[in-house]
Amino acid sequence: MVIDGVVLAGGLSSRMGEDKALLKRDERDMLTYTADVVSSLPIKRLLISRNEATTVSVQPSDADSYSINYANKYDDNYKVVDDVVANIGPLGGIYSIAIQSNADALIITPVDLPLLRTEDLEQLIDKGTSAKRPVYFSHHYLPLFLPLTTEVRQYLEDVVKGQVPQRSVNTMCTNFDAIEVSPENNARLTNVNTPAQWDAAKKLLSLAGN
């Protein structure tokens, strides 16, 4: 099964007050950290849903920090994808990715999971490739393993056309009889939407030595 890796990094970050993708996790920003986690998987391409031209070359504000040119780092296996239809949430980003992908499935993760590890996504891939169904963790609809069947592609198209009343990942998972699995470590799926949550995550990273 051919799989493309997806990072969803196109949110408004309104509650955080700054771009979550550029928050510094370690020597890397969150976009780079998440891209590195996803690119370490057995994927064909890395696709990033983000609506800024500057994503192609991320330049941290700290002049003493490194700078990464994504195009050089991931070679031809990397692509930034703008939303075809703006402001309709994660499914809009997933649709825009899907029409750029010829893969059999996507492994999708948002950019705001600073504790996420490669093995978490491997768990979804292992279950999804064997069952050939969407797979998510209990109480967390993202990250998500999503087969790109004809039916799923049509569903996503219907979402952007306004023909699906509930435009949520939850509803899509229910519609396609997704499999819910228990994570090895639920804390690693903690997302950050506010400065307080980000501070708490950084403390956990410090305690873990990450």
Side-chain angles (χ1 to χ4, degrees):
M1 178 178 284
V2 177
I3 302 170
D4 279 344
V6 177
V7 178
L8 296 179
L12 297 177
S13 303
S14 55
R15 284 184 285 170
M16 183 63 70
E18 59 182 303
D19 190 346
K20 289 189 289 186
L22 300 183
L23 292 171
K24 294 298 288 293
R25 181 192 183 277
D26 41 33
E27 75 279 5
R28 295 167 291 180
D29 55 59
M30 277 302 301
L31 179 55
T32 304
Y33 173 76
T34 309
D36 285 348
V37 169
V38 174
S39 65
S40 68
L41 298 166
I43 60 172
K44 181 180 179 182
R45 285 202 302 168
L46 171 67
L47 302 171
I48 296 179
S49 171
R50 187 159 169 81
N51 298 315
E52 297 181 11
T54 54
T55 306
V56 176
S57 181
V58 177
Q59 302 291 336
S61 57
D62 184 351
D64 294 328
S65 297
Y66 76 104
S67 64
I68 288 181
N69 184 292
Y70 274 61
N72 288 340
K73 186 172 186 180
Y74 301 114
D75 300 320
D76 294 332
N77 296 324
Y78 156 81
K79 185 177 179 63
V80 176
V81 179
D82 291 341
D83 283 352
V84 174
V85 180
N87 302 320
I88 59 172
L91 290 185
I94 295 171
Y95 167 77
S96 302
I97 291 287
I99 62 176
Q100 295 282 337
S101 175
N102 294 318
D104 301 309
L106 303 175
I107 180 68
I108 305 163
T109 187
V111 77
D112 58 359
L113 300 176
L115 306 176
L116 185 71
R117 295 184 181 178
T118 301
E119 53 261 39
D120 300 317
L121 300 180
E122 289 174 337
Q123 184 181 355
L124 296 181
I125 290 173
D126 290 345
K127 186 66 174 180
T129 52
S130 61
K132 295 181 174 56
R133 287 161 56 190
V135 184
Y136 64 95
F137 290 118
S138 303
H139 310 299
H140 302 275
Y141 290 101
L142 289 171
L144 173 69
F145 177 86
L146 181 67
L148 283 181
T149 63
T150 301
E151 292 78 14
V152 167
R153 289 180 181 275
Q154 184 61 57
Y155 182 91
L156 292 169
E157 184 175 338
D158 291 342
V159 167
V160 300
K161 288 181 176 178
Q163 297 174 1
V164 176
Q166 297 294 325
R167 297 182 305 200
S168 70
V169 178
N170 178 353
T171 301
M172 180 178 69
C173 286
T174 300
N175 190 75
F176 289 101
D177 195 23
I179 299 171
E180 177 182 331
V181 298
S182 297
E184 294 179 0
N185 185 331
N186 192 63
R188 295 205 296 258
L189 301 176
T190 301
N191 67 328
V192 293
N193 290 307
T194 67
Q197 291 173 342
W198 177 241
D199 288 341
K202 286 192 293 184
K203 288 178 182 177
L204 289 174
L205 287 169
S206 177
L207 289 172
N210 291 329

